[in-house]
């Protein structure tokens, strides 16, 4: 089935004006995910914040109960025993000055970057390369740490980073179309719980304004906000 035809069929299954309960929205999105590959299921949240103000920034991590269905490639900046610890935990790339040179040349073969605190002097010089890609290690996200083993295992085990964009939006993948409806719903709730806990002090009025769920190739399905806040 051609993409256009598939999308037309999928759109007929969705009332674009309606907000669906989360359980129903997940069911519709999953049933519409008919591409030849295992589509990623994504959540979009519209928040009542202006991230240009420091006290309205929303950022954090969440360990999804059912993982993401995706294997992240993890790089660790570390030396000596900490480098050995990172390798033992399953890090894909481990290095120090050699890894700096590689990244500085634009060779980025990883999805998550972790560093020990003593390496931040080196990593900090890569801000212009790693920053725009959202890969800069950050103590608040647990990616600048002496416990590199735990950080690597969390990244490999389904930890998702979220960060609000300019328009107050957060996008995050919460699993694959091959997941069960219950697994997807649990992951969506875990993400939204984490975002709610990360509510900044400067947020005024309605914090969680809109929620929608979609698959890589499918249309977005709007979700009733109360249905994601109720457990």
């Amino acid at each position: 089935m051609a993409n256009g035809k598939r999308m037309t069929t999928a759109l007929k299954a969705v009332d674009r004006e309606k907000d669906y309960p989360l359980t129903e929205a997940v069911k519709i999105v999953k049933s519409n995910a008919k591409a030849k590959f295992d589509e990623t299921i994504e959540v979009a949240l519209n928040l009542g914040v202006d991230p240009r103000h420091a006290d309205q920034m929303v950022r954090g991590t969440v360990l999804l109960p059912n993982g993401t269905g995706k294997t992240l490639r993890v790089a660790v900046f570390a030396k000596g025993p900490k480098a050995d610890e990172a390798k033992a935990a399953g890090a894909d790339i481990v290095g120090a000055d050699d890894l700096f040179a590689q990244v500085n040349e634009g060779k980025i073969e990883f999805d998550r970057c972790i560093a020990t605190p003593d390496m931040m002097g080196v990593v900090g010089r890569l801000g212009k390369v790693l920053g725009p890609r959202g890969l800069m290690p950050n103590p608040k996200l647990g990616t600048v740490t002496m416990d590199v083993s735990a950080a690597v295992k969390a990244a490999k085990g389904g930890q998702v980073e979220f960060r609000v964009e300019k328009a107050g939006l957060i996008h995050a993948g919460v699993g694959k179309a091959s997941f069960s409806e219950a697994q997807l719903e649990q992951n969506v709730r875990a993400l939204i719980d984490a975002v709610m806990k990360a509510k900044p002090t400067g947020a005024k009025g309605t914090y969680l304004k809109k929620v929608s769920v979609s698959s890589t190739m499918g249309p977005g399905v709007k979700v009733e906000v109360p249905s994601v806040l109720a457990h």
Side-chain angles (χ1 to χ4, degrees), residues 8-190:
T8 304
T9 306
L11 283 167
K12 285 179 184 171
V14 181
D15 182 345
R16 302 303 290 270
E17 302 305 312
K18 180 179 174 181
D19 290 3
Y20 292 86
L22 178 60
T23 305
E24 198 178 334
V26 167
K27 188 173 186 175
I28 293 168
V29 169
K30 188 171 153 59
S31 67
N32 274 333
K34 293 188 171 76
K36 289 177 182 173
F37 62 94
D38 195 6
E39 296 182 49
T40 296
I41 305 300
E42 298 169 347
V43 174
L45 307 176
N46 192 318
L47 305 180
V49 296
D50 182 350
R52 290 175 298 182
H53 300 287
D55 66 347
Q56 293 187 45
M57 188 63 199
V58 182
R59 189 175 187 183
T61 59
V62 57
L63 194 57
L64 298 179
N66 302 298
T68 61
K70 178 184 173 188
T71 305
L72 287 188
R73 296 166 303 167
V74 179
V76 179
F77 280 90
K79 290 179 178 176
K82 286 295 166 186
D84 297 336
E85 190 183 311
K87 286 173 190 168
D92 301 273
I93 306 167
V94 181
D97 294 331
D98 54 336
L99 182 52
F100 170 86
Q102 188 180 316
V103 174
N104 203 34
E105 286 169 9
K107 196 177 175 190
I108 297 170
E109 297 173 340
F110 50 87
D111 310 296
R112 181 72 56 86
C113 186
I114 295 162
T116 52
D118 58 303
M119 290 301 300
M120 284 309 290
V122 173
V123 180
R125 286 161 34 215
L126 294 169
K128 287 182 180 175
V129 184
L130 296 176
R133 293 175 172 83
L135 290 170
M136 195 69 185
N138 185 311
K140 289 181 182 174
L141 300 177
T143 45
V144 176
T145 176
M146 285 304 284
D147 194 350
V148 289
S149 177
V152 170
K153 286 173 183 171
K156 290 280 188 181
Q159 187 187 61
V160 169
E161 288 186 10
F162 57 85
R163 181 176 184 165
V164 69
E165 297 163 18
K166 282 178 187 173
L169 293 172
I170 285 179
H171 291 97
V174 290
K176 295 287 185 178
S178 57
F179 284 23
S180 70
E181 290 168 24
Q183 286 176 318
L184 290 169
E185 188 173 336
Q186 284 170 355
N187 280 1
V188 172
R189 289 190 184 282

Side-chain angles (χ1 to χ4, degrees), residues 177-224:
S178 57
F179 284 23
S180 70
E181 290 168 24
Q183 286 176 318
L184 290 169
E185 188 173 336
Q186 284 170 355
N187 280 1
V188 172
R189 289 190 184 282
L191 170 70
I192 289 173
D193 281 352
V195 172
M196 294 305 290
K197 283 173 184 161
K199 182 179 178 179
T201 52
K204 301 288 185 282
T206 305
Y207 176 52
L208 182 58
K209 289 182 163 184
K210 293 178 186 172
V211 178
S212 67
V213 186
S214 63
S215 64
T216 308
M217 306 294 288
V221 178
K222 293 196 287 186
V223 180
E224 290 175 354

